[in-house]
Amino acid sequence: MADNPRKVTGLESNFTVEEFKQVVGSFVTGITVVTASSADGPVGFTCQSFTSLSLDPPTILISVAQTSRTFSTIASSKRFCVNILSTGSAHLAHDFAFMDPSIRFTTHSWTLGESGNPVLEAALAWLDCDLVNSIEVEDHLIAIGRVVGVGALDETREPLIYYRGDFGEFTRLA
Ligand SMILES: Cc1cc2nc3c(=O)[nH]c(=O)nc-3n(C[C@H](O)[C@H](O)[C@H](O)COP(=O)(O)O)c2cc1C
């Protein structure tokens, strides 16, 4: 399945980290960029692991690596914005994962939303959240946000799709 022989740690498992990533990557998702405002300006990172959690009150969750620089801002500001990316923003998703954080927001257009969080121009829709809980799970954190505002920048836009490490577009069945 994969050439990398690195085994999953802490388990008596017969699969590697790469095999695990390949299998979970078979679940198709959209892609978001999670943003927040720090004293030094906007921060943000590409985040696949976003899902809605409850309806009343409305909450969502994201799974964040404990090493995330953006999350240290969110932990103190207690607010963040989930920008759901549109088709054509694969390069932006790449940049918010791999580019030096100090130039992510000078390379891509954004505005400041009502709640003070950055909203990316490439977003299909966005959710402003108050951080209500964060739970450490192994090398990640589950961050739970209470949704305090939502918006759709342009309803004609289509979503960016992510599947097995590749970006794609959504196609409706006839
Ligand atoms: C397609 C894609 C999806 C990603 N999803 C996540 C995710 O769900 N959670 C996470 O912590 N990092 C995720 N990353 C990695 C972060 O975007 C990357 O580590 C980023 O540099 C973190 O930035 P920060 O340290 O400035 O917060 C993803 C990267 C890519 C390319």
Side-chain angles (χ1 to χ4, degrees), residues 116-145:
N117 294 316
V119 176
L120 295 172
E121 223 165 72
L124 168 76
W126 49 264
L127 303 99
D128 263 326
C129 304
D130 287 344
L131 180 69
V132 290
N133 202 355
S134 62
I135 303 155
E136 288 186 17
V137 183
E138 307 296 355
D139 57 352
H140 276 60
L141 293 151
I142 297 173
I144 299 174

Side-chain angles (χ1 to χ4, degrees), residues 31 44-49 63-65 67-71 93 96-98 101 104 140 162 167:
I31 286 286
F45 75 105
T46 300
C47 181
Q48 178 191 17
S49 54
S63 164
V64 194
T67 53
S68 166
R69 292 152 289 196
T70 304
F71 189 75
F96 273 79
F98 300 111
R104 290 175 186 172
H140 276 60
Y162 195 64
F167 295 105

Side-chain angles (χ1 to χ4, degrees), residues 37 71 74 76 86 106 122 161-162:
S37 283
F71 189 75
I74 295 172
S76 51
S86 57
T106 51
I161 302 296
Y162 195 64

Side-chain angles (χ1 to χ4, degrees), residues 10 24 26 32 36 59 91-92 94 96 108 118 150 168 170:
V24 291
S26 304
T32 76
T59 61
H91 58 295
L92 184 150
H94 181 273
F96 273 79
H108 297 282
V150 294
F170 175 67

Side-chain angles (χ1 to χ4, degrees), residues 106-121:
T106 51
T107 307
H108 297 282
S109 304
W110 59 282
T111 55
L112 214 50
E114 273 176 29
S115 65
N117 294 316
V119 176
L120 295 172
E121 223 165 72

